Amino acid sequence: MMWLPYLLVAMCIYSLLAMTSTNNNKALSYDQFMEVIATKDVVAAEVSVDTTVVDISGTYVDGNQSYTFTARIPNTDVQVNELMDILEEEVGNGQLKVINPHATNYLVTIISNVLPLVLFAGFAFFMFSRMGANSNNKAFEFSKSRARLEGNIKVRFKDVAGCDEEKEEMAELIDYLRSPKKFVKMGARIPKGILMVGPPGTGKTLLAKAVAGEADVPFYSISGSDFVEMFVGVGASRVRDMFKKAQATAPCMIFIDEIDAVGRQRGAGVGGGHDEREQTLNQLLVEMDGIGENTGIVIIAATNRPDVLDPALLRPGRFDRQITVNLPDKKGRKEILEVHARNKKFAADVDLEALATRTPGYSGADLANVLNEAAIMAVRRNHTEITMDDLDEAVDRVMSGPAKKSRKYSPEEKRMVAIHEAGHAVIGLFVTDANIVQKVTIIPRGLAGGYNLMLPKEERMLSTRNELLAHITSFLGGRVAEEICLGEMSTGASNDIERATKIAREMVMSYGMSSLGPIQYEHGTGSVFLGRDYSSSKNYSSQVAFEIDNEVRKIIDQCYNQAKETINAHRDVLDNIVRELVEHETLTKEDLDYILEHGVLEKKTASVVAEPVVEEVKAEEVAVSEEVKVEESKVSE
């Protein structure tokens, strides 16, 4: 309907012109004509004498207004002679013309009358046809592929760090895309599809782009959700169109992100059944390994939920190879930091290796976010370079959120939080197999009133039973310290208890680390897939469930007693840490070691430690609501 305003404007202009011409043009009778001749100033006139009538047209002036007129009188000799005499007398000066009616150009007359109508009809037809063409194009484009073709990709393997083994797996794909004939001559069949699995932010999409960039081939990228629409059959049509376009530019690569949106298990029932999605998946299976051959097309898909994918999608001939892109280790984290540090200015004291040591479990996206937050913090503090303090604050912000400057502690509450955090620190200092305490703070961040940064002695892929028990003991240290020092409990240990209970239950039900033996009572702890897991029943009896609860309680009680013994045995260290925390609010590993040796923190050391953070939270006697107390007292490891 975009043409409707133009049509209305044209009609208005036409109407105004018609009204104007109607007001200035008058058709006169014979008597009126004779009156005009007698009383008005006729400036021009044309007389056309036909067989039976005489047509007269001309212009006369009435005051300051000019009018055109037409008149028709019977053709008699008397009237024509009288009329000519009057007109010659009144008009004169050569403005009186007598024309031959039979010499009139009827073609010009017809064109002048019909041409405006033809132009108007042509304009209307053009607008209607254009509107119809647009609607038809949109209808056809609805079933077209939404895969975006990206050419001239500048990402290379040097821009992807922390996944050397994964890049080695991808290297032969690059060789195949560059020279596929070499593989065909040898009789080798390159994998048609590669499924990259891993946590979010580990660089799956970046790695796929690097493969296309190294091979210098067209790169089609699409999300799994782009296939699924409300209408059945649209997704399947888009799959066909995507492979048709890819065949025209082969060799090429298709990257499907979040393939679990379209590749979930078929016939899964509640939460899993969807005719449109299943038809789309069926078409994808046929295109990958079905009737048609799609040579020269390599498909790379990414997901962090491989457990919900349809088995037909994972069989050889479709996604032949599955590559796990895990979280980077210390060496990988350092390489990732170096990649993202290329365009940033760092001070001379910045140690990226130390930063990599402090960030276990961080993905590539998390590390990029840490450096970005550090750069923003440096700008906010008017630094010319990014310092180690900026990086330290950035890690804290990414881990627990920004410091809550508006939250105020009362002296009693501040001491309670300090006792809680000191309890965690004492367990980390004296319990074998516990993580090493790197930093203790009572500055509230996010939902936590304070936190302990505790890192393992070395990064390991497996955890022993003693290490898991030490983790549970560390989580319970805050609650035990409150009971010993204050004789009461607070809500600050809610998150600690939740995490300790989760580890204890996994030890019993998944790892077989209890007296129930090496029996697994539950299948993983990942997200539930409703269509498959909602209706699944427990594979153990109520008696076994009772025994499981007893074993979990036994583990928790064992760790709780160990925490109580440790804190009672080192009560003086706990009191010293509490005193310094209340005064300085943040202690590092070096500060804790000094307190452990001398019992008190040196003043010069304290000032260095407290300088960046002491201004952020000031202890004032301000009462806070019970809800804020609950949230502020939660502790993150």
Side-chain angles (χ1 to χ4, degrees), residues 497-630:
I497 295 173
E498 177 186 351
R499 297 169 70 180
T501 305
K502 180 180 179 182
I503 295 177
R505 186 166 292 277
E506 288 177 350
M507 290 175 64
V508 176
M509 302 186 67
S510 299
Y511 307 144
M513 296 179 178
S514 69
S515 61
L516 296 181
I519 301 175
Q520 188 178 55
Y521 294 102
E522 68 179 7
H523 302 285
T525 57
S527 302
V528 175
F529 179 38
L530 290 180
R532 181 192 62 202
D533 303 328
Y534 182 74
S535 60
S536 61
S537 59
K538 296 181 179 179
N539 55 356
Y540 51 86
S541 65
S542 58
Q543 177 63 30
V544 173
F546 176 74
E547 295 178 5
I548 289 173
D549 292 338
N550 285 337
E551 290 296 325
V552 172
R553 181 180 296 275
K554 194 180 298 183
I555 292 174
I556 295 295
D557 290 342
Q558 176 186 344
C559 296
Y560 188 85
N561 292 330
Q562 184 182 4
K564 183 175 290 188
E565 292 174 2
T566 303
I567 292 178
N568 280 325
H570 303 90
R571 175 65 187 272
D572 56 336
V573 178
L574 177 71
D575 293 336
N576 292 335
I577 295 176
V578 170
R579 183 183 64 252
E580 300 299 334
L581 269 178
V582 170
E583 181 179 355
H584 303 296
E585 296 183 334
T586 299
L587 301 176
T588 64
K589 181 180 182 299
E590 292 75 15
D591 299 330
L592 293 174
D593 293 339
Y594 194 89
I595 293 172
L596 188 62
E597 182 178 354
H598 299 89
V600 65
L601 196 63
E602 276 189 333
K603 293 299 181 182
K604 61 179 182 179
T605 307
S607 61
V608 173
V609 174
E611 182 180 356
V613 295
V614 72
E615 296 179 358
E616 294 187 359
V617 179
K618 296 181 179 179
E620 297 181 3
E621 295 185 11
V622 180
V624 292
S625 65
E626 291 298 326
E627 181 179 357
V628 174
K629 288 183 180 180
V630 171

Side-chain angles (χ1 to χ4, degrees), residues 162-189:
C163 50
D164 296 336
E165 294 78 9
E166 291 80 359
K167 288 193 287 188
E168 290 178 4
E169 290 288 329
M170 294 290 193
E172 62 187 24
L173 279 183
I174 299 173
D175 195 14
Y176 169 73
L177 290 171
R178 287 176 176 173
S179 54
K181 293 182 179 179
K182 180 171 61 176
F183 289 84
V184 175
K185 186 182 297 184
M186 188 61 65
R189 182 180 62 83

Side-chain angles (χ1 to χ4, degrees), residues 115 189 339 473 612:
L115 184 61
R189 182 180 62 83
V339 169
T473 306

